[in-house]
Amino acid sequence: GRIEACDVPADADAEETAADIRSRLDASGRPAIIFTDIVGATPSNIAESLAGTQDVVISGVNLPMVLTALCHIDEPVETLADMIRRAGIVSINPEIA
């Protein structure tokens, strides 16, 4: 697996940023899990516009979600996305587990 961080400054041109990230995604040739912070914010909107049919966008990310992604990075994207979502939910409300 490979991990990249993409900063989206408040004054960034959204289309230019999207084009840069799209080129990175295309260059990898692999499905991606794209983390964003807040649904509806500029980074989230960019991520949603870039996600292909095999990519997954996960918003509202917390530390347990990131650690799960790092520890299981070689899992298939769909499996990993489910693991990440579950880690986020359980870290907020352990009674759900």
Side-chain angles (χ1 to χ4, degrees), residues 19-30:
D20 175 53
I21 297 169
R22 170 53 48 209
S23 68
R24 294 184 202 191
L25 291 172
D26 289 345
S28 79
R30 295 173 40 157

Side-chain angles (χ1 to χ4, degrees), residues 19-70:
D20 175 53
I21 297 169
R22 170 53 48 209
S23 68
R24 294 184 202 191
L25 291 172
D26 289 345
S28 79
R30 295 173 40 157
I33 295 177
I34 305 168
F35 289 117
T36 68
D37 52 0
I38 301 169
V39 175
T42 300
S44 176
N45 294 337
I46 290 171
E48 288 292 340
S49 74
L50 293 174
T53 57
Q54 294 184 348
D55 300 321
V56 177
V57 177
I58 300 177
S59 297
V61 176
N62 62 29
L63 183 57
M65 296 167 82
V66 173
L67 293 175
T68 297
L70 292 172

